[in-house]
Amino acid sequence: MILGCLEQILVFLPMALGIFLSYSVLKITDLTVDGSFVLAPAVFARLLEYGFPLPAALVLGVFAAGSAGVITALVQKEERISPLLAGILVSYCLFSLNLLILGKPNFGLSDYPHLGDVLASGVVYFAITIFIYIVFLGGLISPLGSYLRAFGSNRYLLRDMSQKEERCRRVGLFICNSLAGISGCLTADLNDYVDCRMGQGVVLVGIGTVVIGLQLVPRYLASPLVELSLASVFVAVGVAIYFMLMSCLMQAGLDPFHLKLFLGVSLTIFMVASSRSQMAGRMS
Amino acid sequence: MKLLEIHNLTLRVPGVERPILEKVSFNLDALERIALIGANGSGKSSLVKCLVGQMTASSGEILLAGKAISSYTPEKRRNLIRILGQDSSRYVFLDLTVQENMQLAARFAGVSCFSSAFLEQIRPGLSKHLKKRAAFLSGGERQALALAMILIKPPELLILDEHTSAIDIVNAQHIVEATERLAQASITITHRLNEISSSTARVLKLEAGCLS
């Protein structure tokens, strides 16, 4: 049970980091990830079927997911459509596209190579997640990172400074959805199948875990970089809390049909508490 | 050499009978500083919006360095004309440190780096806050940072739109002095005469959309 839970945490972490990037750094709530979480494994699965090597299929699947983010960025360009609505629209279209790519609602992967073929799958997931974390934290302090943080902080000033701020949006959402795609591929690899509905609600779970993680970070540290880096680490704690709670509830015999209701209510309570503490922080 | 030429600028908006601006004409030489005063609703902000391309005049023309302002791309226009208004949070990246703000401004302006001495020129003591998040600066410090980010590579024309009205008199004095030292041509828009610097060559008064 613990190993299964750990694997779930590891495969979900890239997704949580992607949501953290869009939600906390870019300050865009991107719902496209519901669709791109499935798009990547759908492309991944079909390419494996066509005989592509596993790494190539994985990279192309992740690239497809990132491209979905770019499409969302183009739809919401200059906020002509609200980012929330743009994400829902693209995610809605992706549902059909994913079904089209898969050719059927459920695609088994047991006959194809797996990430755990050489080493234990848990070790591979761990290595991938650690690698993503290092690149992510390195990216935050890079010029690209400060550009993306500047976009989240004041995108209109970027425009005033003659910068193409929409490029930031495209790059940011590309990274965010690529990370969701990685999680999607790892989840498919772990579960041995791709299901066209496997992305339903993952964005909410992702936002929930990010909110839980952010609750644990000391607010308004002097250095924004230290705060962001700490927050991205605490997002992992948030993911761990979420999946362990879910695992405990299942073990305790909670009906799976009631699970989403229970978790939804719990996340709502967490989010309300988060917004209250933010308001208190601003007033103090 | 004329930097800015405004000829018979008239601005009408649908549903309003009286024009917002009516046959406004004036010139600004390179390196010249002028002030534009007028009561609320006299058309000062609308004139700025026309200058930066946020509003299109109904008739008349605006020439910047001899070329119609509409012929510039938005990016080019923003390179030539920068605005500093009264809400300092609009002109800095609040979630970034002072140093990161300046580094970004330097990079975007094509300047290799910025020095602490430059920040001190803008406002004494500002360089002590390099590691501080812009959100944690006082209003005066933040406005000074915003000015430093603009003046790291002075634009051809700086529009100061009531830029000292939200800060105290000491901070306002620092900002005015830094602008006098480092800015090129500028238009100071205000409804308070004490915000006009001593180096201002001319004061234009806008009344009900007309220059008087």
Side-chain angles (χ1 to χ4, degrees), chain A residues 18-82:
Chain A
I19 290 178
F20 171 72
L21 177 71
S22 63
Y23 186 75
S24 281
V25 178
L26 299 172
K27 313 269 169 71
I28 295 172
T29 307
D30 179 30
L31 300 186
T32 321
V33 287
D34 260 9
S36 53
F37 183 79
V38 187
L39 179 63
V43 172
F44 170 70
R46 288 312 294 259
L47 290 179
L48 285 180
E49 189 188 24
Y50 287 128
F52 274 65
L54 187 138
L58 183 68
V59 169
L60 289 171
V62 169
F63 183 79
S67 306
V70 175
I71 291 169
T72 304
L74 292 172
V75 173
Q76 61 182 251
K77 188 180 172 191
E78 288 170 5
E79 250 98 293
R80 58 186 169 191
I81 292 183
S82 99

Side-chain angles (χ1 to χ4, degrees), chain A residues 128-189:
Chain A
I128 292 175
T129 307
I130 290 293
F131 174 74
I132 289 169
Y133 249 98
I134 292 169
V135 173
F136 188 86
L137 291 174
L140 277 182
I141 55 172
S142 70
L144 173 67
S146 58
Y147 205 16
L148 294 179
R149 288 167 49 226
F151 175 86
S153 181
N154 190 346
R155 66 197 64 167
Y156 306 106
L157 180 58
L158 276 183
R159 191 184 305 165
D160 285 353
M161 295 168 110
S162 298
Q163 298 304 303
K164 292 185 168 67
E165 85 280 8
E166 288 303 319
R167 197 182 290 167
C168 273
R169 191 193 298 269
R170 289 195 291 273
V171 171
L173 292 187
F174 178 85
I175 298 170
C176 162
N177 283 276
S178 296
L179 288 168
I182 292 173
S183 272
C185 288
L186 297 185
T187 305
D189 187 76

Side-chain angles (χ1 to χ4, degrees), chain A residues 27 149 159 162 221 227, chain B residues 75 78 95 100 133:
Chain A
K27 313 269 169 71
R149 288 167 49 226
R159 191 184 305 165
S162 298
L221 293 172
E227 186 180 310
Chain B
E75 284 82 20
R78 288 181 201 123
D95 294 336
E100 288 173 324
R133 197 185 290 228

